[in-house]
Amino acid sequence: MTRASIDLNADLGEGFGRWRLTDDEELLSVVTSANVACGFHAGDAVTMRRVCALAAERGVRIGAQVSYRDLAGFGRRSMDVPADELAAEVAYQIGALEVFARAAGTRVSYVKPHGALYNRVVHDERQAEAVVEGVLLTGERLPLLGLPGSALHAAAGQAGLPVVAEAFADRAYEQDGTLVPRGREGSVLTDPDAVVERSVAMARFGVVTSHCGRPVGVRARSLCLHGDTAGAVELAQRVRGRLEESGIRVEAFV
């Protein structure tokens, strides 16, 4: 099945104080949706304000990238957080970003978990329900961006929240459609040509080759381009250029 359009998202605002990991300004000239760190795995008030202003200026949709409270581990360490506490912390992060989005003349348009939380809510129903509860606490019916078939999407659907299926241009896939854990060799693709070509395949045909060499269906409306890898800006530009050359519209899902 050929897909006529796709969204490009990237994790942005991943800095703290004077330290910056992502080239936010350049990436915001390429992507259509920005997953903005809300202070729990990265980001701070000044960074959130700056990224929201830049995103609004470029017409890029702003998403709250919520995380476990884990600055030291960049949100990539799994944590057993009580459900009521996690729900409150998710709402807290969305609310913090919403202040700066509104100040920039726009709004938070969606929510995407980060790192260990993202992977946890693929299978963990209780943690997925807590994330959904956190979104509901804000009083907004925000879409949840995540892996298709995840517990997160199931919980969101039951609560009446929109869901958006996501695929990853530079991450290796298991045969069941989940991501190969970052701790395993080959979990992140580093060949730019391979990343570009599989991006087009996912956007046009909804398929990717797993690390076992077999095809896997990835019915995605949004494609993630990581902003914290070497050469991220150039790679993102190449991916977008190749998609557009292939006749695929690059546009936000919201």
Short mmCIF file of all heavy atoms in Angstrom, two decimals, residues 184-234:
data_model
loop_
_atom_site.label_atom_id
_atom_site.label_comp_id
_atom_site.label_asym_id
_atom_site.label_seq_id
_atom_site.Cartn_x
_atom_site.Cartn_y
_atom_site.Cartn_z
N ARG A 184 21.83 -3.81 22.73
CA ARG A 184 22.27 -4.86 21.82
C ARG A 184 22.98 -4.27 20.60
O ARG A 184 22.62 -3.20 20.11
CB ARG A 184 21.10 -5.72 21.38
CG ARG A 184 20.64 -6.68 22.48
CD ARG A 184 19.35 -7.37 22.14
NE ARG A 184 19.37 -7.99 20.82
CZ ARG A 184 18.29 -8.57 20.28
NH1 ARG A 184 17.15 -8.57 20.94
NH2 ARG A 184 18.36 -9.13 19.09
N GLU A 185 23.96 -4.98 20.12
CA GLU A 185 24.72 -4.54 18.95
C GLU A 185 23.79 -4.43 17.74
O GLU A 185 22.96 -5.31 17.49
CB GLU A 185 25.85 -5.52 18.65
CG GLU A 185 26.77 -5.07 17.53
CD GLU A 185 27.93 -6.04 17.30
OE1 GLU A 185 28.08 -6.97 18.10
OE2 GLU A 185 28.66 -5.84 16.31
N GLY A 186 23.95 -3.34 17.00
CA GLY A 186 23.16 -3.15 15.80
C GLY A 186 21.78 -2.57 16.05
O GLY A 186 20.97 -2.49 15.11
N SER A 187 21.50 -2.13 17.28
CA SER A 187 20.17 -1.61 17.59
C SER A 187 19.90 -0.26 16.92
O SER A 187 18.76 0.10 16.65
CB SER A 187 19.99 -1.48 19.10
OG SER A 187 20.93 -0.55 19.63
N VAL A 188 20.99 0.49 16.66
CA VAL A 188 20.88 1.78 15.98
C VAL A 188 21.60 1.71 14.64
O VAL A 188 22.78 1.32 14.59
CB VAL A 188 21.47 2.92 16.83
CG1 VAL A 188 21.38 4.24 16.10
CG2 VAL A 188 20.76 3.02 18.18
N LEU A 189 20.92 2.05 13.56
CA LEU A 189 21.52 2.01 12.23
C LEU A 189 22.38 3.26 12.01
O LEU A 189 21.94 4.37 12.29
CB LEU A 189 20.45 1.93 11.15
CG LEU A 189 19.85 0.55 10.88
CD1 LEU A 189 18.99 0.08 12.05
CD2 LEU A 189 19.02 0.56 9.60
N THR A 190 23.58 3.06 11.50
CA THR A 190 24.50 4.18 11.32
C THR A 190 24.82 4.46 9.85
O THR A 190 25.48 5.46 9.56
CB THR A 190 25.81 3.90 12.07
OG1 THR A 190 26.37 2.66 11.60
CG2 THR A 190 25.57 3.80 13.56
N ASP A 191 24.36 3.61 8.93
CA ASP A 191 24.60 3.82 7.50
C ASP A 191 23.54 4.78 6.95
O ASP A 191 22.36 4.42 6.85
CB ASP A 191 24.52 2.49 6.76
CG ASP A 191 24.77 2.63 5.26
OD1 ASP A 191 24.90 3.78 4.78
OD2 ASP A 191 24.84 1.59 4.57
N PRO A 192 23.92 6.01 6.59
CA PRO A 192 22.93 6.99 6.13
C PRO A 192 22.12 6.51 4.93
O PRO A 192 20.91 6.76 4.86
CB PRO A 192 23.78 8.21 5.77
CG PRO A 192 25.03 8.05 6.59
CD PRO A 192 25.27 6.58 6.65
N ASP A 193 22.77 5.84 3.99
CA ASP A 193 22.05 5.37 2.80
C ASP A 193 20.96 4.37 3.19
O ASP A 193 19.84 4.41 2.66
CB ASP A 193 23.01 4.71 1.81
CG ASP A 193 23.98 5.71 1.20
OD1 ASP A 193 23.62 6.91 1.12
OD2 ASP A 193 25.09 5.31 0.80
N ALA A 194 21.27 3.48 4.12
CA ALA A 194 20.29 2.49 4.56
C ALA A 194 19.12 3.16 5.26
O ALA A 194 17.95 2.78 5.06
CB ALA A 194 20.95 1.47 5.49
N VAL A 195 19.41 4.16 6.09
CA VAL A 195 18.35 4.87 6.80
C VAL A 195 17.42 5.58 5.82
O VAL A 195 16.19 5.54 5.96
CB VAL A 195 18.95 5.88 7.80
CG1 VAL A 195 17.86 6.75 8.41
CG2 VAL A 195 19.71 5.15 8.91
N VAL A 196 18.00 6.22 4.82
CA VAL A 196 17.20 6.94 3.83
C VAL A 196 16.30 5.98 3.07
O VAL A 196 15.09 6.23 2.90
CB VAL A 196 18.11 7.71 2.86
CG1 VAL A 196 17.29 8.27 1.68
CG2 VAL A 196 18.81 8.85 3.58
N GLU A 197 16.84 4.89 2.59
CA GLU A 197 16.06 3.96 1.77
C GLU A 197 14.96 3.27 2.57
O GLU A 197 13.85 3.08 2.09
CB GLU A 197 16.98 2.92 1.11
CG GLU A 197 17.89 3.50 0.06
CD GLU A 197 17.14 4.34 -0.97
OE1 GLU A 197 16.10 3.87 -1.49
OE2 GLU A 197 17.59 5.46 -1.25
N ARG A 198 15.25 2.89 3.81
CA ARG A 198 14.20 2.24 4.60
C ARG A 198 13.14 3.24 5.03
O ARG A 198 11.98 2.86 5.21
CB ARG A 198 14.76 1.48 5.79
CG ARG A 198 15.36 2.29 6.87
CD ARG A 198 16.10 1.39 7.85
NE ARG A 198 15.54 1.47 9.17
CZ ARG A 198 15.27 0.43 9.94
NH1 ARG A 198 15.52 -0.79 9.50
NH2 ARG A 198 14.78 0.58 11.14
N SER A 199 13.49 4.53 5.14
CA SER A 199 12.49 5.55 5.43
C SER A 199 11.45 5.61 4.32
O SER A 199 10.25 5.68 4.57
CB SER A 199 13.16 6.92 5.60
OG SER A 199 14.03 6.93 6.70
N VAL A 200 11.92 5.57 3.09
CA VAL A 200 11.01 5.60 1.95
C VAL A 200 10.16 4.34 1.91
O VAL A 200 8.94 4.40 1.65
CB VAL A 200 11.80 5.76 0.63
CG1 VAL A 200 10.87 5.64 -0.57
CG2 VAL A 200 12.52 7.10 0.61
N ALA A 201 10.77 3.19 2.19
CA ALA A 201 10.02 1.93 2.17
C ALA A 201 8.93 1.92 3.23
O ALA A 201 7.80 1.47 2.99
CB ALA A 201 10.98 0.76 2.40
N MET A 202 9.24 2.45 4.41
CA MET A 202 8.23 2.50 5.47
C MET A 202 7.11 3.46 5.11
O MET A 202 5.93 3.18 5.35
CB MET A 202 8.89 2.90 6.80
CG MET A 202 9.71 1.79 7.42
SD MET A 202 10.26 2.15 9.12
CE MET A 202 11.63 3.27 8.78
N ALA A 203 7.46 4.60 4.54
CA ALA A 203 6.45 5.60 4.19
C ALA A 203 5.56 5.15 3.04
O ALA A 203 4.34 5.35 3.06
CB ALA A 203 7.12 6.93 3.85
N ARG A 204 6.16 4.50 2.05
CA ARG A 204 5.39 4.12 0.85
C ARG A 204 4.65 2.82 1.01
O ARG A 204 3.50 2.68 0.58
CB ARG A 204 6.32 4.02 -0.36
CG ARG A 204 6.91 5.33 -0.83
CD ARG A 204 7.62 5.16 -2.16
NE ARG A 204 6.70 4.81 -3.23
CZ ARG A 204 7.07 4.52 -4.47
NH1 ARG A 204 8.36 4.50 -4.78
NH2 ARG A 204 6.18 4.23 -5.39
N PHE A 205 5.31 1.84 1.64
CA PHE A 205 4.74 0.49 1.65
C PHE A 205 4.42 -0.05 3.04
O PHE A 205 3.86 -1.13 3.16
CB PHE A 205 5.71 -0.47 0.94
CG PHE A 205 6.12 0.00 -0.42
CD1 PHE A 205 7.43 0.34 -0.69
CD2 PHE A 205 5.19 0.10 -1.44
CE1 PHE A 205 7.82 0.77 -1.94
CE2 PHE A 205 5.56 0.54 -2.70
CZ PHE A 205 6.88 0.88 -2.96
N GLY A 206 4.78 0.69 4.09
CA GLY A 206 4.48 0.23 5.44
C GLY A 206 5.22 -1.03 5.82
O GLY A 206 4.68 -1.89 6.52
N VAL A 207 6.47 -1.14 5.39
CA VAL A 207 7.24 -2.35 5.68
C VAL A 207 8.69 -1.99 5.96
O VAL A 207 9.22 -1.01 5.45
CB VAL A 207 7.15 -3.35 4.50
CG1 VAL A 207 7.85 -2.79 3.26
CG2 VAL A 207 7.72 -4.71 4.88
N VAL A 208 9.34 -2.79 6.84
CA VAL A 208 10.75 -2.63 7.14
C VAL A 208 11.34 -4.03 7.30
O VAL A 208 10.63 -4.99 7.62
CB VAL A 208 10.95 -1.80 8.43
CG1 VAL A 208 10.44 -2.54 9.65
CG2 VAL A 208 12.41 -1.40 8.61
N THR A 209 12.64 -4.16 7.06
CA THR A 209 13.31 -5.45 7.24
C THR A 209 13.81 -5.55 8.68
O THR A 209 14.49 -4.66 9.17
CB THR A 209 14.49 -5.58 6.27
OG1 THR A 209 14.01 -5.45 4.93
CG2 THR A 209 15.18 -6.93 6.44
N SER A 210 13.44 -6.64 9.35
CA SER A 210 13.85 -6.83 10.74
C SER A 210 15.33 -7.18 10.81
O SER A 210 15.97 -7.44 9.79
CB SER A 210 13.04 -7.95 11.39
OG SER A 210 13.49 -9.21 10.92
N HIS A 211 15.89 -7.20 12.02
CA HIS A 211 17.31 -7.55 12.17
C HIS A 211 17.56 -9.00 11.79
O HIS A 211 18.71 -9.39 11.56
CB HIS A 211 17.77 -7.28 13.61
CG HIS A 211 17.27 -8.28 14.61
ND1 HIS A 211 18.09 -9.19 15.21
CD2 HIS A 211 16.04 -8.52 15.09
CE1 HIS A 211 17.38 -9.94 16.03
NE2 HIS A 211 16.14 -9.55 15.98
N CYS A 212 16.50 -9.80 11.67
CA CYS A 212 16.62 -11.19 11.22
C CYS A 212 16.58 -11.31 9.70
O CYS A 212 16.75 -12.40 9.15
CB CYS A 212 15.52 -12.05 11.83
SG CYS A 212 15.58 -12.17 13.62
N GLY A 213 16.30 -10.17 9.03
CA GLY A 213 16.28 -10.18 7.57
C GLY A 213 14.93 -10.45 6.95
O GLY A 213 14.82 -10.59 5.74
N ARG A 214 13.87 -10.48 7.78
CA ARG A 214 12.54 -10.73 7.26
C ARG A 214 11.69 -9.46 7.32
O ARG A 214 11.91 -8.60 8.18
CB ARG A 214 11.86 -11.85 8.06
CG ARG A 214 12.49 -13.23 7.81
CD ARG A 214 11.81 -14.29 8.65
NE ARG A 214 12.16 -14.14 10.06
CZ ARG A 214 11.65 -14.90 11.03
NH1 ARG A 214 10.77 -15.83 10.74
NH2 ARG A 214 12.02 -14.71 12.28
N PRO A 215 10.70 -9.32 6.42
CA PRO A 215 9.87 -8.11 6.40
C PRO A 215 8.95 -8.03 7.62
O PRO A 215 8.44 -9.04 8.09
CB PRO A 215 9.08 -8.24 5.10
CG PRO A 215 9.05 -9.71 4.83
CD PRO A 215 10.34 -10.26 5.33
N VAL A 216 8.75 -6.80 8.10
CA VAL A 216 7.85 -6.54 9.22
C VAL A 216 6.95 -5.38 8.83
O VAL A 216 7.41 -4.37 8.30
CB VAL A 216 8.64 -6.16 10.49
CG1 VAL A 216 7.68 -5.84 11.64
CG2 VAL A 216 9.60 -7.25 10.89
N GLY A 217 5.65 -5.52 9.08
CA GLY A 217 4.71 -4.43 8.80
C GLY A 217 4.86 -3.31 9.82
O GLY A 217 4.93 -3.57 11.02
N VAL A 218 4.94 -2.08 9.35
CA VAL A 218 5.03 -0.91 10.24
C VAL A 218 4.04 0.15 9.73
O VAL A 218 4.41 1.08 9.04
CB VAL A 218 6.46 -0.32 10.30
CG1 VAL A 218 7.37 -1.17 11.13
CG2 VAL A 218 7.07 -0.16 8.90
N ARG A 219 2.80 -0.01 10.12
CA ARG A 219 1.75 0.90 9.67
C ARG A 219 1.87 2.22 10.42
O ARG A 219 1.25 2.42 11.46
CB ARG A 219 0.38 0.27 9.92
CG ARG A 219 0.23 -1.13 9.32
CD ARG A 219 -1.10 -1.76 9.70
NE ARG A 219 -1.34 -1.74 11.14
CZ ARG A 219 -0.83 -2.61 11.99
NH1 ARG A 219 -0.02 -3.58 11.55
NH2 ARG A 219 -1.09 -2.53 13.28
N ALA A 220 2.68 3.12 9.91
CA ALA A 220 3.01 4.33 10.65
C ALA A 220 2.54 5.60 9.93
O ALA A 220 2.61 5.70 8.72
CB ALA A 220 4.50 4.42 10.89
N ARG A 221 2.08 6.55 10.73
CA ARG A 221 1.71 7.88 10.22
C ARG A 221 2.82 8.89 10.46
O ARG A 221 2.84 9.96 9.87
CB ARG A 221 0.41 8.34 10.90
CG ARG A 221 -0.05 9.74 10.49
CD ARG A 221 -0.41 9.80 9.02
NE ARG A 221 -0.71 11.17 8.60
CZ ARG A 221 0.19 12.06 8.20
NH1 ARG A 221 1.47 11.74 8.16
NH2 ARG A 221 -0.17 13.27 7.83
N SER A 222 3.75 8.54 11.38
CA SER A 222 4.85 9.44 11.70
C SER A 222 6.15 8.66 11.74
O SER A 222 6.19 7.52 12.20
CB SER A 222 4.60 10.12 13.06
OG SER A 222 5.59 11.08 13.33
N LEU A 223 7.20 9.29 11.26
CA LEU A 223 8.52 8.68 11.19
C LEU A 223 9.48 9.45 12.09
O LEU A 223 9.63 10.67 11.94
CB LEU A 223 9.02 8.68 9.75
CG LEU A 223 10.34 7.99 9.44
CD1 LEU A 223 10.24 6.49 9.70
CD2 LEU A 223 10.74 8.25 7.98
N CYS A 224 10.12 8.76 13.04
CA CYS A 224 11.03 9.41 13.98
C CYS A 224 12.45 9.45 13.45
O CYS A 224 12.99 8.43 12.99
CB CYS A 224 11.01 8.68 15.32
SG CYS A 224 12.10 9.43 16.56
N LEU A 225 13.05 10.64 13.52
CA LEU A 225 14.45 10.83 13.18
C LEU A 225 15.15 11.30 14.45
O LEU A 225 14.87 12.40 14.93
CB LEU A 225 14.59 11.88 12.08
CG LEU A 225 13.84 11.61 10.78
CD1 LEU A 225 13.85 12.84 9.89
CD2 LEU A 225 14.46 10.42 10.04
N HIS A 226 16.03 10.51 14.99
CA HIS A 226 16.67 10.89 16.25
C HIS A 226 17.61 12.09 16.05
O HIS A 226 18.40 12.13 15.11
CB HIS A 226 17.45 9.70 16.84
CG HIS A 226 16.56 8.73 17.54
ND1 HIS A 226 16.19 7.53 17.00
CD2 HIS A 226 15.94 8.81 18.75
CE1 HIS A 226 15.39 6.90 17.84
NE2 HIS A 226 15.21 7.65 18.90
N GLY A 227 17.49 13.04 16.97
CA GLY A 227 18.29 14.25 16.87
C GLY A 227 19.59 14.19 17.64
O GLY A 227 20.41 15.11 17.57
N ASP A 228 19.83 13.08 18.38
CA ASP A 228 21.02 13.00 19.24
C ASP A 228 22.10 12.11 18.66
O ASP A 228 23.01 11.69 19.37
CB ASP A 228 20.63 12.52 20.64
CG ASP A 228 20.01 11.13 20.63
OD1 ASP A 228 19.62 10.65 19.54
OD2 ASP A 228 19.91 10.52 21.72
N THR A 229 22.01 11.81 17.36
CA THR A 229 23.03 11.00 16.72
C THR A 229 23.94 11.87 15.85
O THR A 229 23.54 12.97 15.42
CB THR A 229 22.40 9.90 15.84
OG1 THR A 229 21.49 10.50 14.92
CG2 THR A 229 21.64 8.90 16.71
N ALA A 230 25.14 11.39 15.57
CA ALA A 230 26.08 12.15 14.74
C ALA A 230 25.50 12.38 13.34
O ALA A 230 24.94 11.47 12.74
CB ALA A 230 27.40 11.39 14.65
N GLY A 231 25.63 13.61 12.84
CA GLY A 231 25.13 13.93 11.51
C GLY A 231 23.62 13.95 11.40
O GLY A 231 23.08 13.76 10.31
N ALA A 232 22.93 14.18 12.51
CA ALA A 232 21.47 14.09 12.54
C ALA A 232 20.81 15.06 11.57
O ALA A 232 19.83 14.70 10.89
CB ALA A 232 20.96 14.33 13.96
N VAL A 233 21.30 16.28 11.49
CA VAL A 233 20.67 17.28 10.63
C VAL A 233 20.80 16.90 9.17
O VAL A 233 19.81 16.91 8.41
CB VAL A 233 21.28 18.67 10.88
CG1 VAL A 233 20.76 19.67 9.85
CG2 VAL A 233 20.97 19.15 12.29
N GLU A 234 21.99 16.56 8.74
CA GLU A 234 22.21 16.17 7.35
C GLU A 234 21.37 14.95 6.99
O GLU A 234 20.78 14.88 5.90
CB GLU A 234 23.69 15.88 7.10
CG GLU A 234 23.99 15.49 5.66
CD GLU A 234 25.46 15.17 5.41
OE1 GLU A 234 26.26 15.32 6.37
OE2 GLU A 234 25.79 14.78 4.29
#
